[in-house]
Amino acid sequence: MRRQFISYAISAVAILVLGLFRAGAADNAAIKEKAAVCSGCHGENGISQTENIPSLAGQPDQFIQWQLVFFRAGSRKNDQMQPIVEEITNEDIRNFGAYFSQMTPPKAAEDTDPDLSKKGAQVAVGRRCASCHTDSFAGTKAVARLAGQREEYLVKALHDYKAGARVGGGVAAMADVAYHMSDEEITAVSHYLAYFK
C-alpha cells in the first residue's frame, strides 16, 4: 500500500513538473513571438546591426522594463517605439525585461583605436561611470549595460542627456554627468565602452 502511494505521489509530481515545463515552454514561445517585432530594429538575439539603435541582449531586466514604461508614458520619445509601446501590456513589459536580460550580450569587437580607448577610460574614471554601471559596465537593476553597446548609440545617448532631450530613470545623474562632458570626452568614453571587454 505504501509503495503504491509513493508511486502515485511520484507520478503526480512528475505530471505537475511536466505540466509546468510545458506551460513555461509555451510562455517562452509566446514571449519570443511577441518579441519578434523588436528584432526588426534591435537585431536577431537582441544584438543591433542598425546605426543608433541599441542592443538589448544582456541589458538588466529592470532597465528594459523602465525604458518601456517611459516610452509608453511618453516621457521618453521615439517615433519607431511609440506605436509599439502603445500595444503592450504590463505583463508584456515584465516578460520583455526577463527575455532580453537572459540573452547573451554583444561581444566587443577588436578595438580599432586603443589610444582613444585609453582616453575614454580616463573619462570613465573621472566621471565615475562604474559607480552606477558597475566595474564591468554590465549595468545592474535599472541601470543600463554599457559594455559592448553600439558606439554611435552611446554618443547619441550622452548628447541627448547633455541637451536634456532624454528623460527617464537616472536622468538627473546622467544629465549632470553628460552636461559637463566635452564632445571629445563623449566620443572617447563611448568608444571605450563600446570596445570594453
Side-chain angles (χ1 to χ4, degrees):
M1 183 76 162
R2 184 173 177 177
R3 283 186 185 171
Q4 188 177 13
F5 174 76
I6 291 172
S7 177
Y8 285 139
I10 291 171
S11 296
V13 169
I15 289 168
L16 178 62
V17 169
L18 185 59
L20 290 174
F21 176 77
R22 284 184 179 155
D27 290 345
N28 285 341
I31 294 164
K32 188 174 182 178
E33 186 177 330
K34 276 196 168 188
V37 71
C38 307
S39 66
C41 293
H42 294 282
E44 288 297 317
N45 300 315
I47 299 177
S48 173
Q49 303 298 316
T50 307
E51 189 174 342
N52 286 320
I53 304 289
S55 292
L56 301 179
Q59 285 291 346
D61 184 345
Q62 289 180 31
F63 174 75
I64 291 172
Q65 289 188 52
W66 276 113
Q67 297 314 303
L68 289 170
V69 167
F70 296 140
F71 278 123
R72 191 172 66 178
S75 58
R76 186 170 174 197
K77 299 184 184 312
N78 179 283
D79 291 341
Q80 288 77 32
M81 286 296 296
Q82 291 319 125
I84 294 167
V85 294
E86 287 169 6
E87 301 296 321
I88 62 176
T89 65
N90 289 340
E91 184 179 2
D92 291 333
I93 288 173
R94 286 188 291 273
N95 289 337
F96 288 151
Y99 179 74
F100 286 108
S101 70
Q102 293 169 13
M103 290 182 162
T104 303
K107 291 182 181 172
E110 205 56 43
D111 193 345
T112 56
D113 192 342
D115 290 337
L116 187 57
S117 282
K118 187 175 178 182
K119 291 175 188 171
Q122 293 169 345
V123 174
V125 169
R127 300 297 177 185
R128 298 178 39 236
C129 300
S131 64
C132 293
H133 295 277
T134 74
D135 290 339
S136 63
F137 301 108
T140 181
K141 298 182 182 173
V143 179
R145 175 186 185 84
L146 303 177
Q149 185 57 271
R150 292 187 62 87
E151 184 173 356
E152 80 287 340
Y153 175 76
L154 293 170
V155 169
K156 178 186 182 310
L158 285 168
H159 280 293
D160 286 350
Y161 278 121
K162 183 173 181 170
R166 180 165 172 177
V167 298
V171 68
M174 283 306 305
D176 185 53
V177 169
Y179 182 77
H180 298 286
M181 292 174 77
S182 67
D183 289 350
E184 291 78 14
E185 287 178 312
I186 288 174
T187 297
V189 77
S190 296
H191 182 84
Y192 169 66
L193 293 168
Y195 290 95
F196 187 87
K197 293 184 181 181

